[in-house]
Amino acid sequence: MAAVMVTFLAVAPPAEAQPLPERIERYEVTIDIRRDGSYEVIETIAYDFGPFERHGIFRTIPVRFPYDPDPKFERIYELTGIRVDGSEGTPDDVEETDENGRKLLRVGDADKTISGAHTYRIRYVVRGGLNAFADHDELHWNAIGDEWDVPIGSAAVTVRAPDGVNRVACFAGPRGSGLPCAGAEVVSSTEATFRHGPIGNRQALTVVVAMVKGTIDAEGTKPILDEKFSLARAYSVTPGTTAGALAAAVLAFGYVARLLWRTGRDRKIDGTSPDDRRGLGEDDESPVVFRPPGDARPAQVGVLVDERADALDVTATIVDLAVRGYLEIRELPKEGWFGKTDWNLVEAKPADDDLLPFERRLVKGLFEGRSEVTLSSLKNTFASDLKAVQTKLYGDCVQQGWFAKRPDQVRNIYLTIGVVGVLLAAGALALLTVFTHAALIGIPVLLAALVLAIGHRWTPARTAKGSAALREARGFRRFIETAEADRMQFAEEENIFAKYLPYAIVFGETEKWAKAFAGLGGAEAPAGMGWYHPYGSWSAFNASSFSNSMDSFAVHTSGTIASTPASSGSSGFSGGSSGGGGGGGGGGSW
């Protein structure tokens, strides 16, 4: 049996050696403190990648720390003059980034890999890193941070100062460890040394050096502080911010109010100057008028009243064209239990010179290339024609002299100004919020811009001629609203029911207008209704049923022609520990 074992061992292959992990053989730090309180740090890192192919190393250095005396602030360690030198054959290009309160240095070449032993020398200058106490000034520095992913064979730290070095301490081990390092010595009044090793990964070496008070300039021992962001800080309510916000409110809202006041009020009928405008809520008395102003068409009256060429105005124009003999409206039967009412529009005579430009454009949109069209077929296809009709209708109202400029264009101009104002005010408010304590001042400016963006709808204004026409239009509306059957006998003889029906549609008074004629012609429909063909026939005219039909036609038409397709610092001598000072961080390979 023994012979068998000897034979087996003789022929068995030797065990394969495992590659050594990455490690830092030697980590040396030199810190030269200057009288102005800044100090230069030189880190010499002898890094062994072993057999592994790597691009280089990375080094993280914390530069923002909590500031215990005042939690509103963070302490800043300013790092400048960063430079890296590599040993022969070691790529030493440096890429600097700032991430989460750390300075990240990535050293090496992304296009080249290395292995084995390489040495890196990292230099940088620190400002704001010293601490001042009543009896001494102090360096409290994590010469080796606890964020290294690799073990360190040995570490040595040398601290030089202009003069006055009289006390030292150092701590080693995991973060929070109070164990002393292997060696700490005051060599002279200008130099101290520290040593320790080995150091495991995620362990630190922290050094503390005290210098006689006055050795370092007083300004050089003051911490650099940065106030942390908070909404309470940004929107501080102080006498200054309150006064500023009130002043901003007066100026911003005053400007918007003045702009809307001067722009959106109509000229007086008897005004003698461009600034002679009607006051807020001031309306000219409107006696009852028995015909539209200047025999204006229904759509024109609609724009005159509400300053908008909407789909209802165009719908009333379709009915008006039917009344005037240019088309007929035929009601179609419902299909199925849940079918919807539809109408057929039939061309009765071609457009002629009696039509206004917007009316001709409407007839073209409805009948070009065909003699009839169902209302439902216009769904999602008529929107561009509607836009063209509305544009000509706005232009027509300007040509009438009722408006100095097209109301839609005036609204768009002030909407644009309002939106741009909102964006600028929001941007300014964001900057004030992030960088100052005076964000309160930006709030009224943003609100005023919002008021302007919302108030753009009130910016169109009528001319003196438009104000006069509006008074007549309101008087005519009163006639439509208060019509009574006993006052309509003569009007019925002139077929005025059909003639003024489109205006009743514009005013939303179809039912009242129809009821005023109920029973005047017995069972017959009022005169002039040959253009409308209900499904079946006029067996008996019912004012309520007819007004319902007209309202339904107006609602369906307005919705259909407008529809569009869907789209888609504490001291290190008092409770000091490993990792408790400035600097530190760590690194690894990449």
Side-chain angles (χ1 to χ4, degrees), residues 33 130-131 133 135-140 159 161 163-169 186 188-192 194 207-213 215-216 571-573:
I33 303 174
L130 297 184
N131 300 318
F133 298 94
D135 60 345
H136 72 282
D137 295 326
E138 180 179 299
L139 171 71
H140 189 185
V159 178
D163 199 3
V165 174
N166 61 5
R167 188 158 47 123
V168 297
V186 176
S188 69
S189 63
T190 61
E191 184 176 322
F194 309 86
V207 301
V208 185
V209 177
M211 294 163 283
V212 175
K213 195 71 176 175
T215 303
I216 306 299
S571 171
F573 296 101

Short mmCIF file of all heavy atoms in Angstrom, two decimals, residues 33 130-131 133 135-140 159 161 163-169 186 188-192 194 207-213 215-216 571-573:
data_model
loop_
_atom_site.label_atom_id
_atom_site.label_comp_id
_atom_site.label_asym_id
_atom_site.label_seq_id
_atom_site.Cartn_x
_atom_site.Cartn_y
_atom_site.Cartn_z
N ILE A 33 3.00 71.74 4.75
CA ILE A 33 2.07 72.79 5.16
C ILE A 33 2.71 74.15 4.96
O ILE A 33 3.87 74.37 5.32
CB ILE A 33 1.67 72.61 6.64
CG1 ILE A 33 1.06 71.22 6.84
CG2 ILE A 33 0.70 73.69 7.07
CD1 ILE A 33 0.78 70.89 8.29
N LEU A 130 -7.10 72.94 7.42
CA LEU A 130 -6.59 73.03 8.79
C LEU A 130 -7.69 73.46 9.76
O LEU A 130 -8.67 74.10 9.37
CB LEU A 130 -5.43 74.02 8.85
CG LEU A 130 -4.18 73.67 8.02
CD1 LEU A 130 -3.09 74.71 8.26
CD2 LEU A 130 -3.67 72.26 8.35
N ASN A 131 -7.50 73.09 11.02
CA ASN A 131 -8.45 73.45 12.07
C ASN A 131 -7.78 74.37 13.09
O ASN A 131 -6.60 74.19 13.42
CB ASN A 131 -8.97 72.21 12.79
CG ASN A 131 -9.67 71.26 11.85
OD1 ASN A 131 -10.43 71.68 10.99
ND2 ASN A 131 -9.40 69.96 12.01
N PHE A 133 -7.79 75.98 16.95
CA PHE A 133 -8.27 75.83 18.31
C PHE A 133 -7.64 76.94 19.17
O PHE A 133 -6.76 77.65 18.72
CB PHE A 133 -7.94 74.44 18.85
CG PHE A 133 -8.60 73.34 18.06
CD1 PHE A 133 -7.91 72.72 17.02
CD2 PHE A 133 -9.89 72.94 18.34
CE1 PHE A 133 -8.52 71.71 16.28
CE2 PHE A 133 -10.50 71.93 17.60
CZ PHE A 133 -9.82 71.32 16.56
N ASP A 135 -5.56 76.90 21.63
CA ASP A 135 -4.15 76.80 22.00
C ASP A 135 -3.26 76.24 20.90
O ASP A 135 -2.05 76.13 21.07
CB ASP A 135 -4.00 75.93 23.25
CG ASP A 135 -4.51 74.51 23.03
OD1 ASP A 135 -5.24 74.30 22.02
OD2 ASP A 135 -4.19 73.62 23.83
N HIS A 136 -3.81 75.86 19.76
CA HIS A 136 -2.98 75.34 18.67
C HIS A 136 -3.76 75.32 17.37
O HIS A 136 -5.00 75.41 17.36
CB HIS A 136 -2.49 73.92 19.01
CG HIS A 136 -3.57 72.87 18.95
ND1 HIS A 136 -4.50 72.69 19.94
CD2 HIS A 136 -3.85 71.93 18.00
CE1 HIS A 136 -5.31 71.70 19.64
NE2 HIS A 136 -4.94 71.21 18.44
N ASP A 137 -3.01 75.19 16.28
CA ASP A 137 -3.60 74.92 14.97
C ASP A 137 -3.28 73.47 14.62
O ASP A 137 -2.25 72.92 15.06
CB ASP A 137 -3.02 75.86 13.91
CG ASP A 137 -3.40 77.32 14.19
OD1 ASP A 137 -4.51 77.54 14.69
OD2 ASP A 137 -2.56 78.21 13.91
N GLU A 138 -4.14 72.86 13.79
CA GLU A 138 -4.03 71.40 13.67
C GLU A 138 -4.32 70.91 12.26
O GLU A 138 -5.22 71.39 11.58
CB GLU A 138 -5.04 70.78 14.64
CG GLU A 138 -5.07 69.27 14.65
CD GLU A 138 -6.07 68.76 15.67
OE1 GLU A 138 -5.90 69.05 16.88
OE2 GLU A 138 -7.05 68.08 15.26
N LEU A 139 -3.51 69.92 11.87
CA LEU A 139 -3.78 69.12 10.68
C LEU A 139 -4.37 67.79 11.15
O LEU A 139 -3.77 67.08 11.96
CB LEU A 139 -2.50 68.85 9.89
CG LEU A 139 -2.63 67.83 8.75
CD1 LEU A 139 -3.45 68.42 7.60
CD2 LEU A 139 -1.26 67.38 8.25
N HIS A 140 -5.55 67.48 10.67
CA HIS A 140 -6.23 66.22 10.99
C HIS A 140 -6.60 65.57 9.65
O HIS A 140 -7.59 65.94 9.04
CB HIS A 140 -7.47 66.52 11.84
CG HIS A 140 -8.12 65.29 12.40
ND1 HIS A 140 -9.30 65.36 13.09
CD2 HIS A 140 -7.75 63.98 12.39
CE1 HIS A 140 -9.64 64.13 13.47
NE2 HIS A 140 -8.71 63.29 13.05
N VAL A 159 5.03 64.77 7.57
CA VAL A 159 4.36 66.07 7.59
C VAL A 159 5.39 67.13 7.91
O VAL A 159 6.10 67.04 8.92
CB VAL A 159 3.22 66.11 8.62
CG1 VAL A 159 2.56 67.49 8.63
CG2 VAL A 159 2.18 65.04 8.31
N ALA A 161 6.07 71.36 8.36
CA ALA A 161 5.39 72.62 8.63
C ALA A 161 6.42 73.73 8.72
O ALA A 161 7.61 73.47 8.88
CB ALA A 161 4.61 72.52 9.95
N ASP A 163 6.95 75.77 11.11
CA ASP A 163 7.56 75.75 12.44
C ASP A 163 6.47 75.36 13.44
O ASP A 163 5.28 75.31 13.11
CB ASP A 163 8.14 77.12 12.81
CG ASP A 163 9.16 77.04 13.94
OD1 ASP A 163 9.45 75.91 14.39
OD2 ASP A 163 9.64 78.10 14.37
N GLY A 164 6.88 75.07 14.66
CA GLY A 164 5.92 74.92 15.75
C GLY A 164 5.31 73.56 15.93
O GLY A 164 4.37 73.42 16.72
N VAL A 165 5.78 72.52 15.25
CA VAL A 165 5.23 71.19 15.47
C VAL A 165 5.61 70.73 16.87
O VAL A 165 6.78 70.66 17.22
CB VAL A 165 5.77 70.18 14.42
CG1 VAL A 165 5.29 68.78 14.75
CG2 VAL A 165 5.35 70.60 13.02
N ASN A 166 4.61 70.44 17.72
CA ASN A 166 4.92 70.08 19.11
C ASN A 166 4.14 68.87 19.62
O ASN A 166 4.39 68.42 20.74
CB ASN A 166 4.69 71.27 20.04
CG ASN A 166 3.25 71.73 20.03
OD1 ASN A 166 2.38 71.11 19.41
ND2 ASN A 166 2.98 72.82 20.74
N ARG A 167 3.20 68.36 18.83
CA ARG A 167 2.43 67.21 19.31
C ARG A 167 1.87 66.46 18.12
O ARG A 167 1.44 67.07 17.13
CB ARG A 167 1.30 67.70 20.22
CG ARG A 167 0.55 66.59 20.93
CD ARG A 167 -0.15 67.11 22.19
NE ARG A 167 -0.88 68.34 21.95
CZ ARG A 167 -2.20 68.49 22.20
NH1 ARG A 167 -2.90 67.45 22.66
NH2 ARG A 167 -2.78 69.64 22.01
N VAL A 168 1.85 65.11 18.20
CA VAL A 168 1.33 64.29 17.11
C VAL A 168 0.50 63.14 17.67
O VAL A 168 0.62 62.78 18.85
CB VAL A 168 2.46 63.73 16.22
CG1 VAL A 168 3.22 64.84 15.54
CG2 VAL A 168 3.39 62.83 17.02
N ALA A 169 -0.31 62.58 16.80
CA ALA A 169 -1.07 61.37 17.11
C ALA A 169 -1.42 60.71 15.79
O ALA A 169 -1.45 61.37 14.73
CB ALA A 169 -2.33 61.70 17.91
N VAL A 186 7.67 63.23 16.58
CA VAL A 186 8.00 64.60 16.24
C VAL A 186 9.50 64.63 15.99
O VAL A 186 10.30 64.52 16.93
CB VAL A 186 7.61 65.58 17.36
CG1 VAL A 186 8.06 66.99 17.00
CG2 VAL A 186 6.11 65.54 17.62
N SER A 188 11.23 67.14 14.50
CA SER A 188 11.72 68.48 14.80
C SER A 188 10.53 69.41 14.84
O SER A 188 9.38 69.01 14.65
CB SER A 188 12.74 68.95 13.75
OG SER A 188 12.09 69.17 12.52
N SER A 189 10.79 70.70 15.08
CA SER A 189 9.70 71.67 15.12
C SER A 189 9.08 71.89 13.75
O SER A 189 8.06 72.56 13.63
CB SER A 189 10.20 73.01 15.67
OG SER A 189 11.19 73.57 14.82
N THR A 190 9.70 71.31 12.74
CA THR A 190 9.17 71.48 11.38
C THR A 190 8.79 70.16 10.74
O THR A 190 8.35 70.15 9.58
CB THR A 190 10.21 72.17 10.48
OG1 THR A 190 11.38 71.35 10.41
CG2 THR A 190 10.55 73.55 11.00
N GLU A 191 8.92 69.03 11.46
CA GLU A 191 8.65 67.76 10.79
C GLU A 191 8.16 66.71 11.79
O GLU A 191 8.60 66.65 12.93
CB GLU A 191 9.91 67.27 10.08
CG GLU A 191 9.71 65.99 9.28
CD GLU A 191 10.95 65.57 8.51
OE1 GLU A 191 11.65 66.49 7.99
OE2 GLU A 191 11.23 64.36 8.45
N ALA A 192 7.20 65.88 11.28
CA ALA A 192 6.71 64.73 12.04
C ALA A 192 6.58 63.56 11.09
O ALA A 192 6.30 63.75 9.89
CB ALA A 192 5.37 65.04 12.70
N PHE A 194 5.14 59.29 10.52
CA PHE A 194 4.21 58.26 10.96
C PHE A 194 4.44 57.02 10.10
O PHE A 194 4.82 57.11 8.93
CB PHE A 194 2.76 58.73 10.80
CG PHE A 194 2.48 60.07 11.42
CD1 PHE A 194 2.72 61.25 10.72
CD2 PHE A 194 1.98 60.16 12.71
CE1 PHE A 194 2.46 62.49 11.28
CE2 PHE A 194 1.72 61.40 13.28
CZ PHE A 194 1.97 62.56 12.57
N VAL A 207 -3.60 60.82 10.53
CA VAL A 207 -2.53 61.49 11.27
C VAL A 207 -3.03 62.82 11.80
O VAL A 207 -3.87 63.48 11.18
CB VAL A 207 -1.29 61.70 10.38
CG1 VAL A 207 -0.77 60.37 9.85
CG2 VAL A 207 -1.58 62.65 9.22
N VAL A 208 -2.51 63.22 12.98
CA VAL A 208 -2.87 64.48 13.62
C VAL A 208 -1.59 65.19 14.01
O VAL A 208 -0.72 64.59 14.67
CB VAL A 208 -3.75 64.26 14.86
CG1 VAL A 208 -4.22 65.60 15.42
CG2 VAL A 208 -4.94 63.37 14.53
N VAL A 209 -1.44 66.44 13.59
CA VAL A 209 -0.25 67.24 13.91
C VAL A 209 -0.70 68.57 14.48
O VAL A 209 -1.48 69.30 13.85
CB VAL A 209 0.61 67.46 12.65
CG1 VAL A 209 1.81 68.34 12.98
CG2 VAL A 209 1.08 66.12 12.08
N ALA A 210 -0.17 68.90 15.69
CA ALA A 210 -0.48 70.19 16.31
C ALA A 210 0.68 71.14 16.11
O ALA A 210 1.85 70.75 16.21
CB ALA A 210 -0.76 70.00 17.80
N MET A 211 0.36 72.39 15.84
CA MET A 211 1.36 73.44 15.63
C MET A 211 1.05 74.59 16.57
O MET A 211 -0.13 74.88 16.87
CB MET A 211 1.33 73.91 14.18
CG MET A 211 1.77 72.84 13.18
SD MET A 211 1.27 73.22 11.48
CE MET A 211 -0.47 72.79 11.55
N VAL A 212 2.09 75.24 17.01
CA VAL A 212 1.95 76.36 17.94
C VAL A 212 1.06 77.42 17.30
O VAL A 212 1.19 77.74 16.12
CB VAL A 212 3.33 76.94 18.30
CG1 VAL A 212 3.18 78.20 19.16
CG2 VAL A 212 4.18 75.89 19.01
N LYS A 213 0.18 77.99 18.12
CA LYS A 213 -0.74 79.02 17.64
C LYS A 213 0.03 80.19 17.05
O LYS A 213 0.99 80.68 17.67
CB LYS A 213 -1.62 79.50 18.79
CG LYS A 213 -2.84 80.29 18.35
CD LYS A 213 -3.86 79.38 17.68
CE LYS A 213 -5.13 80.17 17.34
NZ LYS A 213 -6.07 79.32 16.59
N THR A 215 1.65 80.06 14.14
CA THR A 215 2.56 79.59 13.09
C THR A 215 1.91 79.73 11.72
O THR A 215 2.58 80.08 10.74
CB THR A 215 2.95 78.12 13.33
OG1 THR A 215 3.54 78.00 14.63
CG2 THR A 215 3.92 77.64 12.29
N ILE A 216 0.64 79.47 11.66
CA ILE A 216 -0.13 79.56 10.42
C ILE A 216 -0.97 80.84 10.46
O ILE A 216 -1.52 81.20 11.51
CB ILE A 216 -1.05 78.34 10.24
CG1 ILE A 216 -0.23 77.05 10.35
CG2 ILE A 216 -1.79 78.41 8.92
CD1 ILE A 216 0.85 76.91 9.30
N SER A 571 -11.09 68.15 16.95
CA SER A 571 -9.66 67.93 17.14
C SER A 571 -9.35 66.45 17.14
O SER A 571 -10.09 65.64 17.70
CB SER A 571 -9.21 68.55 18.47
OG SER A 571 -7.87 68.15 18.76
N GLY A 572 -8.22 66.08 16.51
CA GLY A 572 -7.82 64.69 16.48
C GLY A 572 -7.24 64.23 17.80
O GLY A 572 -7.04 63.03 18.01
N PHE A 573 -6.95 65.17 18.75
CA PHE A 573 -6.41 64.79 20.05
C PHE A 573 -7.53 64.52 21.06
O PHE A 573 -7.29 64.09 22.16
CB PHE A 573 -5.50 65.91 20.59
CG PHE A 573 -4.29 66.10 19.73
CD1 PHE A 573 -4.23 67.16 18.83
CD2 PHE A 573 -3.20 65.24 19.82
CE1 PHE A 573 -3.10 67.35 18.04
CE2 PHE A 573 -2.07 65.42 19.03
CZ PHE A 573 -2.02 66.48 18.14
#
